[in-house]
């Protein structure tokens, strides 16, 4: 049986928690469980076989933690672990119709711009797993929280294997992943990349996933997957709160939402899968049919093209001397400043064009895409005529982009459209061909139809094609304005496509250009223009779009209009974006943080800069993070930018022999038996950028090492992390040892980790429970009186 045949069943049953089963069998803590494929294959085969007997249609190989990074201390390589894992899985499913899934989990390092791992390096890590052995029927990419990491893994699978790929991400109760990804952004990106099934796993139980799952089913056009935990973890008993019968009853009921593939994650055993399979007999699969809404996204923000949306035009060298010089000088901060100012002025999508004869456009496109995504959360439109530039940009892009552009020339259609189709992007179609820009409306419509036909033949949805009917300069060709408007109206009436237009070309060579531009923009929107490409800082242009939304009923109760223009007088006199140190920190601008701080140090006390500007700015970002208005990438971006200011202050103090600015010394460690350290690493970044000296003891740390280090370094605050319920005992033992050590009688302990609760933290005698990295900083500030 193959996956396509399996889809003919009402429901497909996944297996349950491998880790749970191994822990029940006494897996030694701190060891990578995937090594057991080699050292104890009988146990792995036994677990797989129990899931087969329980009714699982898909059995995941024991390879979730098999990658170069997570195996580095084991003495084993990826290829031998994957081979041994597939030996075990094949043996377990022999003689049955169950499919073997190659299981792939997160690498365990943060990708750029939040971390140091590049998407290119991540791709090679995933490729090594996929190509290690091909004895699998499907690939299961699970428990991802970073959309770029998921996208990179999916590309590695699709480009190095012909097997179906099932993708699930792990969401929090707020409806986003740990790194701020929404279900809608996940679906847009992964459907575009041809994932064969999409959904969620881990983190939450059936009750908690219900609203998130409903959002997925209401948008997803491929089979939906649900693999929740057995309720929520109970740190006291090291178990999960939901029994097998309740799990089966509640998860099977969620199948009514339109879920096709169901199984279990942490805390679930074969008994859970057996109950689930039995309860599903009471239901029949019904696909959730829903209207398609044209949308684009970044890693965290989705923009639906259901009303006129502003594309910011300023990241483009055409006619911009300063921007050209920034490209030549590799001045990324100037470019990032343009991105930030456009977002603040109301741009909802940013056009990225870095074409210049004096630079490597491909290299620069990748660099700018990565950098811009580090400071703004808007979707991007990648603007180039070169296929290699567009493909490089799309590979680095986190989300679903727009490609600008293809035109009616055969060469353009042949080279650009396959790239658009491969990466699931939307595409701008220019109504010109080998003969140039047509003089008539009819010819522009004809070229548009040619583009639409070729694009849809490659599987690009009509709704994801944005036709540009082109703006001609009215001073040279006055009839051109009417032809453009007529072409927009005809195309919108005949097709489901959207329309896009660079508006300001209309007024070249004439006085009072803003008046012409604004009038033409309003006329075009009335004819059906969806995406005006404009400078959002021009008051009349952005204002025309906002006013149009009010008058056409898109802006309900005029809420957005009122929010923007309630301080009308202030807005009209604003002629620049003043860059302060607070603003630079909040926007994650590293160079500006460095330069502004250097200037301030000429006449300002270093501690005044820290106490009155740096720390308040970081606190404000932390507050926005807690409110769900800023997500992890933004939090880390601000912290990294602030570090530039701290570094130059440290240099200043060192050169003048003044006292160090350290706000305190803190130990961080992931406890004995736990090999997960992303959360601990994020806390480290934030604490260091608040001015604390952090002693990072790493992961799988013996209690004795924590105590020895604390005594030796005279540390008054220790931070401990644990992700697994089975390692909470190690956390308790570490705290107990600290309490027994006389030299540490004044040392406090803060604890954190997904499985912890405040009640359990108190039970094991921790001083502070920190649910998030931002709360860890708040706690340190209170403890040290900062």
């Amino acid at each position: 049986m193959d996956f396509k045949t399996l889809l003919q069943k009402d429901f497909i049953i996944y297996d349950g928690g491998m880790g749970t089963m191994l822990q029940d069998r006494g897996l030694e803590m701190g060891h990578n469980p995937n090594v057991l494929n080699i050292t104890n294959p009988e146990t792995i085969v036994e677990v797989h076989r129990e899931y087969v007997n329980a009714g699982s249609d898909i059995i995941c190989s024991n390879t979730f933690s098999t990658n170069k990074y997570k195996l580095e201390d084991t003495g084993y390589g990826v290829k031998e672990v994957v081979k041994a894992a597939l030996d075990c899985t094949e043996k377990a499913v022999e003689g049955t119709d169950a499919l073997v899934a190659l299981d792939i989990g997160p690498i365990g390092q943060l990708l750029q711009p939040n971390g140091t791992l590049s998407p290119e390096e991540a791709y090679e890590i995933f490729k090594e797993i996929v190509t290690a052995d091909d004895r699998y029927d499907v690939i299961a990419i699970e428990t991802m929280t970073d959309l770029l990491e998921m996208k990179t893994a999916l590309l590695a699978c699709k480009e190095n294997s012909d097997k179906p790929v099932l993708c699930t991400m792990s969401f929090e109760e707020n409806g986003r992943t740990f790194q701020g990804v929404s279900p809608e952004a996940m679906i847009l990106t992964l459907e575009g990349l041809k994932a064969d099934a999409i959904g969620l796993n881990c983190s939450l139980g059936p009750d908690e996933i219900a609203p998130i799952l409903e959002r997925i089913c209401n948008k997803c056009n491929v089979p939906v997957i649900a693999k929740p935990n057995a309720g929520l973890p109970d740190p006291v008993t090291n178990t999960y709160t939901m029994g097998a019968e309740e799990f089966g009853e509640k998860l099977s009921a969620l199948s009514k939402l339109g879920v096709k593939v169901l199984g279990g994650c942490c805390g679930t055993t074969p008994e859970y899968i057996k109950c689930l399979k039995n309860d599903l007999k009471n239901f029949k699969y019904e696909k959730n049919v829903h209207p398609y809404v044209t949308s684009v996204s970044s890693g965290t923000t989705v923009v639906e093209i259901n009303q006129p949306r502003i594309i910011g035009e300023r990241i483009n060298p055409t006619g911009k001397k300063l921007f050209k010089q920034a490209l030549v000088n590799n001045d990324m901060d100037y470019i990032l400043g343009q991105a930030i100012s456009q977002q603040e002025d109301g741009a909802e999508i940013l056009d990225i064009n870095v074409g210049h004869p004096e630079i490597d456009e491909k290299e620069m496109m990748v660099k700018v895409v990565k950098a811009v995504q580090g400071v703004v959360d808007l979707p991007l439109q990648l603007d180039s005529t070169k296929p290699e530039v567009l493909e490089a940009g799309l590979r680095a892009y986190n989300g679903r982009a727009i490609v600008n552009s293809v035109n009616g020339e055969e060469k353009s259609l042949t080279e650009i459209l396959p790239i658009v189709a491969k990466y699931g992007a939307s595409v701008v179609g220019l109504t010109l061909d080998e003969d140039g820009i047509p003089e008539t409306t009819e010819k522009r419509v004809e070229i548009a139809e040619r583009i639409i036909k070729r694009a849809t033949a490659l599987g690009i949805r009509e709704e994801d094609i944005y036709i540009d009917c082109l703006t001609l300069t009215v001073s040279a060709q006055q009839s051109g304005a009417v032809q453009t408007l007529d072409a927009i109206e005809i195309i919108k009436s005949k097709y489901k496509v959207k329309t896009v237009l660079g508006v300001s070309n209309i007024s070249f060579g004439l006085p009072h250009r803003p008046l012409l531009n604004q009038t033409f923009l309003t006329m075009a929107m009335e004819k059906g223009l969806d995406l005006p490409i404009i400078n959002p800082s021009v008051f009349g242009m952005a204002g025309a779009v906002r006013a149009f939304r009010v008058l056409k009923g898109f802006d309900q109760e005029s809420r957005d209009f009122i929010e923007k223009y309630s301080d009308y007088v202030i807005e009209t006199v604003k002629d620049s974006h003043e860059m302060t140190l607070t603003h630079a920190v909040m926007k994650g601008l590293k160079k500006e943080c460095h330069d502004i701080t250097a200037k301030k140090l000429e006449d300002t006390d270093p501690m005044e800069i820290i106490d009155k500007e740096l720390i308040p700015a970081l606190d404000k970002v932390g507050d926005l993070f807690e409110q769900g208005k800023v997500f992890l990438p933004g939090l880390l971006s601000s912290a990294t930018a602030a570090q530039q200011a701290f570094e130059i202050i440290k240099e200043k103090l060192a050169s003048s022999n003044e006292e160090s600015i350290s706000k305190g010394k803190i130990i961080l460690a992931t406890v004995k038996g736990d090999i997960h350290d992303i959360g601990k690493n994020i806390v480290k970044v934030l604490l260091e950028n608040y001015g604390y000296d952090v002693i990072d003891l790493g992961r799988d740390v013996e209690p004795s090492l924590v105590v020895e280090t604390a005594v030796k370094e005279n540390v008054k605050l220790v931070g401990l992390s644990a992700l697994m319920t089975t390692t909470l005992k190690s956390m308790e033992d570490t705290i107990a040892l600290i309490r027994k050590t006389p030299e540490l009688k004044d040392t406090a302990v803060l604890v954190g980790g997904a499985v912890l609760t405040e009640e359990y933290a108190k039970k094991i005698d921790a001083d502070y429970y920190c649910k998030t990295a931002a709360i860890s900083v708040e706690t340190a500030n209170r403890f040290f009186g900062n």
Side-chain angles (χ1 to χ4, degrees), residues 592-774:
E592 278 80 354
C593 281
H594 178 280
D595 293 348
I596 293 171
T597 303
K599 182 70 175 175
K600 282 182 172 291
L601 284 171
E602 295 176 4
D603 55 16
T604 307
D605 180 74
M607 293 311 299
E608 183 178 337
I609 296 173
I610 293 170
D611 293 336
K612 293 187 177 180
E613 295 192 68
L614 284 175
I615 298 303
L618 287 169
D619 286 343
K620 189 170 184 179
V621 176
D623 289 341
L624 292 172
F625 176 77
E626 291 300 322
Q627 295 169 28
K629 296 178 180 179
V630 167
F631 305 111
L632 182 62
L635 188 67
L636 291 176
S637 177
S638 292
T640 305
Q643 182 65 18
Q644 299 297 310
F646 278 113
E647 289 301 326
I648 196 169
I649 289 173
K650 288 178 182 178
E651 291 172 11
K652 170 76 172 178
L653 294 175
S655 65
S656 58
N657 294 318
E658 294 185 42
E659 186 179 348
S660 167
I661 63 166
S662 173
K663 304 179 85 65
K665 192 181 293 185
I666 302 172
I667 285 175
L668 291 182
T670 300
V671 298
K672 175 65 180 172
D674 208 314
I675 60 174
H676 303 86
D677 60 356
I678 282 188
K680 181 262 299 174
N681 292 342
I682 291 169
V683 172
K684 176 185 176 183
V685 169
L686 293 180
L687 287 171
E688 286 180 337
N689 291 299
Y690 265 80
Y692 292 100
D693 287 335
V694 177
I695 302 172
D696 184 3
L697 297 182
R699 52 187 178 172
D700 188 21
V701 179
E702 292 280 357
S704 59
L705 179 59
V706 175
V707 169
E708 290 167 9
T709 307
V711 171
K712 180 181 177 182
E713 299 291 337
N714 191 28
V715 173
K716 299 302 181 186
L717 185 60
V718 172
L720 302 176
S721 173
L723 188 68
M724 298 156 39
T725 56
T726 53
T727 58
L728 290 177
K729 184 62 169 60
S730 294
M731 181 178 280
E732 183 177 4
D733 292 344
T734 304
I735 295 173
L737 189 57
I738 290 172
R739 302 303 187 215
K740 291 177 182 177
T741 305
E743 298 93 328
L744 301 181
K745 63 182 177 66
D746 297 324
T747 297
V749 179
L750 63 84
V751 295
V755 296
L756 275 173
T757 63
E758 187 167 8
E759 293 73 21
Y760 188 74
K762 292 177 181 177
K763 179 178 181 296
I764 61 176
D765 201 22
D767 296 282
Y768 306 101
Y769 164 66
C770 301
K771 187 174 182 180
T772 67

Side-chain angles (χ1 to χ4, degrees), residues 148-394:
L148 183 57
E149 184 175 12
M150 172 61 91
K151 173 183 174 178
T152 304
L154 181 53
L155 279 173
C157 293
K158 288 293 183 180
E159 293 177 347
N160 297 283
S161 171
D162 60 358
K163 305 296 173 62
V165 186
L166 286 55
C167 300
T168 54
M169 300 192 76
S170 184
F171 292 88
E172 310 286 329
E173 286 191 76
N174 64 3
R176 291 183 179 267
T177 73
F178 179 54
Q179 300 207 41
V181 182
S182 69
E184 293 79 10
M186 171 188 72
I187 292 164
L188 276 174
T189 304
L190 302 185
E191 277 193 358
L193 291 168
K194 312 300 186 296
D196 297 275
I198 298 170
L200 51 75
N201 79 294
C202 206
S203 290
L204 305 170
D207 291 334
E208 294 78 23
I209 68 166
I212 305 167
L213 194 58
E214 184 172 11
R215 288 168 61 183
I216 294 173
C217 291
N218 286 340
K219 291 289 185 181
C220 201
N221 295 288
V222 299
V224 173
I225 306 168
K227 284 189 67 178
N229 291 343
L232 299 176
D234 184 337
V236 176
T237 62
N238 290 340
T239 62
Y240 283 76
T241 55
M242 188 173 286
E245 291 185 3
E246 184 183 5
F247 178 87
E249 178 184 340
K250 290 191 170 181
L251 183 55
S252 62
L254 293 179
S255 68
K256 293 186 294 186
L257 297 174
V259 185
K260 181 72 174 181
V261 186
L262 303 99
C265 203
C266 299
T268 62
T269 66
E271 183 62 25
Y272 285 73
I273 302 305
K274 183 178 179 181
C275 289
L276 171 64
K277 186 176 180 68
N278 185 62
D279 287 333
L280 282 170
K281 294 176 182 177
N282 301 317
F283 298 90
K284 186 171 180 60
Y285 173 69
E286 291 186 18
K287 182 175 174 58
N288 192 334
V289 179
H290 47 79
Y292 184 78
V293 180
T294 305
S295 307
V296 291
S297 79
S298 65
T300 57
T301 300
V302 173
V303 174
E304 294 185 347
I305 317 300
N306 55 4
Q307 58 185 286
R309 299 292 189 183
I310 297 172
I311 299 180
E313 68 180 6
R314 297 298 300 169
I315 304 180
N316 188 322
T318 304
K320 302 179 183 72
K321 184 177 179 180
L322 289 176
F323 194 91
K324 290 177 180 177
Q325 196 60 47
L327 290 175
V328 173
N329 295 342
N330 200 26
D331 184 358
M332 201 57 55
D333 292 281
Y334 177 85
I335 297 171
L336 296 184
Q338 293 292 318
I340 290 169
S341 65
Q342 289 186 99
Q343 182 179 39
E344 291 176 343
D345 286 328
E348 293 154 292
I349 301 166
L350 297 181
D351 185 80
I352 306 290
N353 185 318
V354 294
H356 192 285
E358 297 180 35
I359 65 167
D360 183 329
E361 185 181 352
K362 176 180 174 182
E363 180 182 323
M364 182 60 74
M365 176 62 84
V366 172
K367 187 171 184 178
V368 171
V369 165
K370 289 179 179 179
V372 168
Q373 290 195 120
V375 297
V376 300
D377 59 359
L378 299 181
L380 303 183
Q381 174 172 275
L382 308 187
D383 189 349
S384 178
T385 59
K386 298 177 181 177
E388 65 276 12
V389 173
L390 291 171
E391 179 153 26
L394 287 168

Side-chain angles (χ1 to χ4, degrees), residues 539 542-544 546-547 560-569 571:
F539 178 80
R546 295 188 182 102
D560 293 339
F561 191 87
I562 292 169
E563 181 180 355
K564 183 64 181 177
Y565 296 120
S566 58
D567 296 326
Y568 172 74
V569 175
E571 287 291 332

